[in-house]
């Protein structure tokens, strides 16, 4: 167990740092598309989520997981990241919609809560599938 924590923590920390950048991208685009342009919440969420996702993949692939001996080639990692992140999108939007529609929480706050809840799924799935290493 201790070895698992030592291996995961630096990667987890970098993944969280990249995720922090993604939160700003996601939130900024959601506010612009939904808040200012008036697009439906679902449309704004998908555009914001995907924009952040593409940026995060690039940084994660080049920094967070750069030292790993990858099982998948780059384009397959990108497709895998997209597929694994669909679960995060469902989690994020479910929280965002539920909190903003039923609990009366501002959509900007609800989005951030959804992002944090989806983080665990996103890290776990991408760590074990997208950036699976020959050494694990």
């Amino acid at each position: 167990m201790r070895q698992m924590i030592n291996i995961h923590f630096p990667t987890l920390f970098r993944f969280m740092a990249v995720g922090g950048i993604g939160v700003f991208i996601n939130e900024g685009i959601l506010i612009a598309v939904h808040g200012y342009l008036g697009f439906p919440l679902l449309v704004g969420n998908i555009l914001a989520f995907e924009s952040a996702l593409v940026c995060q993949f690039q940084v994660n692939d080049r920094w967070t997981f750069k030292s790993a001996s990858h099982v998948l080639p780059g384009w397959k990692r990108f497709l895998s990241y997209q597929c694994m992140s669909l679960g995060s999108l469902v989690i994020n939007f479910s929280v965002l919609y539920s909190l903003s529609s039923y609990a009366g929480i501002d959509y900007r706050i609800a989005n951030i809560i959804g992002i944090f809840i989806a983080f665990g799924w996103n890290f776990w799935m991408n760590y074990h599938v997208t950036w699976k290493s020959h050494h694990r």
Side-chain angles (χ1 to χ4, degrees):
M1 183 70 176
R2 182 165 166 73
Q3 182 181 11
M4 184 181 204
I5 292 170
N6 290 338
I7 293 170
H8 286 253
F9 185 74
T11 303
L12 177 62
F13 178 75
R14 288 189 299 267
F15 197 84
M16 287 171 53
V18 173
I21 295 166
V23 170
F24 285 105
I25 294 168
N26 185 309
E27 192 74 359
I29 292 174
L30 180 63
I31 290 169
V33 173
H34 176 68
Y36 292 116
L37 298 177
F39 281 79
L41 189 58
L42 177 60
V43 173
N45 184 242
I46 290 171
L47 291 173
F49 189 88
E50 185 62 28
S51 298
L53 201 68
V54 169
C55 178
Q56 288 172 295
F57 172 79
Q58 296 299 325
V59 178
N60 277 322
D61 202 52
R62 287 173 174 75
W63 180 53
T64 307
F65 297 100
K66 85 172 185 181
S67 63
S69 174
H70 302 298
V71 174
L72 300 174
W75 68 272
K76 285 187 178 179
R77 286 194 305 275
F78 181 72
L79 289 177
S80 176
Y81 188 68
Q82 291 285 322
C83 291
M84 296 304 109
S85 297
L86 283 175
S88 294
L89 177 61
V90 170
I91 294 166
N92 175 258
F93 185 72
S94 297
V95 172
L96 167 61
Y97 185 78
S98 297
L99 292 178
S100 63
S101 296
Y102 301 114
I105 296 174
D106 184 274
Y107 75 94
R108 295 166 288 202
I109 303 298
N111 184 51
I112 291 172
I113 294 169
I115 289 169
F116 281 105
I117 291 173
F119 173 81
W121 164 272
N122 199 26
F123 178 74
W124 184 260
M125 294 304 292
N126 283 298
Y127 185 83
H128 291 287
V129 177
T130 303
W131 284 289
K132 183 178 181 180
S133 174
H134 289 290
H135 303 294
R136 281 189 236 146

